[in-house]
Amino acid sequence: MRFFLCLELICLQQRTREFNYLSESVTSPWMLNLKQLIQTNKMASVQLPWKLRLIYTACKLIVNLSRRRDDTINRRLQSLTDPKTSPSKTPRNGVVSSDTVINSSKDLWFRCYTPTTTTTSAAAAHGGDDGRSLPIIIYIHGGGFAIYSASSTAYDSWCRRLSGELNAVVVSINYRLAPEHRCPTQYEDSFDTLKFLDENLDKLPANVNPKLCFIAGDSAGGNLVHHVAVKASEYEFSSLKLIGLISIQPFFGGEERTESEIRNSGGLLLSLEDTDWYWKMFLPDGSDRDHPAVNVFGPKSSVDISRVKYPSTLILIGGLDLLYDWQRKYYDELKKAGKEADLVEDPNAFHGSHMFEELPGSALFIQGIRDFMGKQMNKENY
């Protein structure tokens, strides 16, 4: 009991620190309204199973302690929150996995997940003349561009689940991290992986269909999905055909403080203070949050998305995510530019909650992805 009381005290102290940070960083007059100030702590009322709450509290504390004052990360300490899982040739939940190195000097590699059983209906619906049947999802993990990897247990479990439940080959990219490697390194590593796969189909399972290719990612990975897709629009792939983008609670922002950033500033897995810190670690020195990498439709963006050959996009968002307004703006701007965009919204989802299979919203996101992929694959007449 004493242990749990200590954790609750730590959690309360963290909330207080985040609340103080919000008060100092937001100066708009309506922030002085006491009722709205109280609403900023709304996330504290979110009910989680005790085990998840325990994991969250401990991880939050360690991640915060790993941030050094000189704007570097204590990797040894941070690794305590990021256990690793090895690939497995033995099926786990009906999925096998293996690692392939692209460039060892850059620590650029990917983990490939393949379902061990393929339904007859899937093969009939999506199989080409050469017998290739499975779609491929090129997945880019989140973590504020600064933490996690393709071997992180959390992402190994998530990608394995996607592969098994969506009956798809999933390729999870391991890219270099900030602040040791700042923007645009992560974009370059992700795009280089696409080019490698395009030129080396033999590194993929024999029954994958490269003409049914999706790029997906969550949080910072969702940001990477956007920028990689823009870059891919200018490249002639010989084998891969990008038919859809899947952006799960993408990490966008700007200098403006939005209503959802204020309302949900003390997020369970991501706070306003966290987002500012991640952007500072990621962006080139001297940049602000209106940098085109952050605010993709902002005042400094030079890309006219209406002129880009941009694939159909699914955006999945949560009502308790402090990035909700930026994600909703992203969807609206794509629609305004004449692009095909679908939206799945879970009003009770907080940032990163899709990773927890125990939470009902996780299944909602999986179903949304399944429906979107089916719609895009049907367009290809397979």
Side-chain angles (χ1 to χ4, degrees):
M1 177 63 72
R2 187 174 299 174
F3 176 69
F4 286 104
L5 287 175
C6 288
L7 283 176
E8 288 300 323
L9 178 60
I10 292 170
C11 187
L12 178 60
Q13 291 172 335
Q14 175 66 21
R15 295 285 174 214
T16 302
R17 189 165 73 93
E18 290 167 352
F19 183 83
N20 291 337
Y21 182 84
L22 173 68
S23 302
E24 294 170 0
S25 61
V26 180
T27 58
S28 55
W30 63 276
M31 271 294 294
L32 299 177
N33 184 294
L34 180 60
K35 182 178 179 181
Q36 289 169 326
L37 283 172
I38 293 173
Q39 284 178 339
T40 63
N41 207 30
K42 179 181 177 182
M43 291 299 301
S45 64
V46 174
Q47 297 299 313
L48 287 178
W50 71 267
K51 185 181 294 186
L52 290 185
R53 189 168 186 82
L54 175 63
I55 294 172
Y56 146 69
T57 304
C59 289
K60 188 78 170 177
L61 174 64
I62 293 173
V63 167
N64 286 341
L65 290 174
S66 70
R67 300 174 184 174
R68 297 192 180 107
R69 293 183 179 180
D70 62 355
D71 293 336
T72 60
I73 298 175
N74 183 331
R75 292 294 181 189
R76 179 173 295 182
L77 181 59
Q78 183 266 321
S79 68
L80 297 177
T81 69
D82 185 21
K84 307 297 185 183
T85 296
S86 300
S88 176
K89 294 182 179 179
T90 302
R92 296 176 186 164
N93 298 325
V95 175
V96 296
S97 58
S98 61
D99 292 348
T100 299
V101 175
I102 299 174
N103 188 327
S104 58
S105 67
K106 296 181 178 180
D107 195 27
L108 180 59
W109 55 273
F110 63 83
R111 179 163 294 179
C112 183
Y113 300 85
T114 309
T116 54
T117 58
T118 303
T119 63
T120 303
S121 58
H126 309 305
D129 294 336
D130 57 0
R132 295 182 178 272
S133 61
L134 296 182
I136 178 173
I137 301 172
I138 300 174
Y139 198 86
I140 312 176
H141 70 80
F145 311 99
I147 58 177
Y148 303 130
S149 71
S151 61
S152 295
T153 297
Y155 278 101
D156 183 83
S157 299
W158 172 245
C159 289
R160 188 178 302 278
R161 184 179 171 202
L162 289 178
S163 179
E165 294 197 28
L166 300 176
N167 203 38
V169 170
V170 175
V171 170
S172 179
I173 302 174
N174 190 80
Y175 55 83
R176 287 170 289 176
L177 300 175
E180 295 87 349
H181 305 278
R182 291 178 178 263
C183 173
T185 300
Q186 294 74 15
Y187 301 138
E188 294 169 348
D189 285 355
S190 299
F191 185 67
D192 285 348
T193 302
L194 260 69
K195 293 194 294 183
F196 178 87
L197 293 171
D198 185 59
E199 299 165 0
N200 297 273
L201 287 183
D202 60 309
K203 302 298 184 181
L204 295 172
N207 60 344
V208 73
N209 190 333
K211 304 302 181 185
L212 300 177
C213 181
F214 297 84
I215 309 178
D218 67 294
S219 192
N223 176 294
L224 289 164
V225 166
H226 171 84
H227 291 284
V228 170
V230 170
K231 191 172 182 66
S233 69
E234 303 171 348
Y235 186 82
E236 290 294 330
F237 292 99
S238 59
S239 301
L240 295 179
K241 181 179 181 181
L242 304 182
I243 66 170
L245 308 177
I246 301 166
S247 190
I248 306 170
Q249 297 180 301
F251 189 20
F252 297 122
E255 282 295 301
E256 173 193 1
R257 293 302 193 193
T258 68
E259 183 181 347
S260 67
E261 284 180 313
I262 297 168
R263 184 177 65 249
N264 299 321
S265 63
L268 285 170
L269 296 181
L270 188 71
S271 68
L272 189 64
E273 184 179 5
D274 294 335
T275 62
D276 286 356
W277 188 87
Y278 284 127
W279 289 130
K280 185 180 180 182
M281 294 303 97
F282 172 66
L283 293 172
D285 290 336
S287 302
D288 63 21
R289 294 191 306 273
D290 278 334
H291 187 285
V294 185
N295 195 347
V296 294
F297 294 113
K300 298 181 181 180
S301 177
S302 60
V303 176
D304 181 357
I305 201 70
S306 66
R307 298 180 179 273
V308 174
K309 187 179 179 182
Y310 202 76
S312 300
T313 304
L314 171 67
I315 301 106
L316 303 105
I317 64 178
L320 298 181
D321 188 348
L322 79 164
L323 300 176
Y324 175 90
D325 288 341
W326 290 112
Q327 295 158 358
R328 185 64 197 233
K329 178 181 179 180
Y330 179 62
Y331 167 76
D332 291 339
E333 291 292 341
L334 287 178
K335 298 286 283 187
K336 188 185 301 184
K339 303 304 176 183
E340 181 182 346
D342 294 347
L343 185 71
V344 172
E345 179 176 345
D346 176 4
N348 297 314
F350 54 88
H351 196 84
S353 60
H354 65 280
M355 301 285 285
F356 300 106
E357 191 172 357
E358 302 92 328
L359 301 181
S362 182
L364 174 67
F365 276 18
I366 291 280
Q367 185 59 51
I369 296 171
R370 180 183 294 111
D371 293 342
F372 174 76
M373 290 180 62
K375 182 171 71 172
Q376 302 309 317
M377 290 188 291
N378 286 336
K379 292 178 183 178
E380 299 301 310
N381 296 319
Y382 283 102

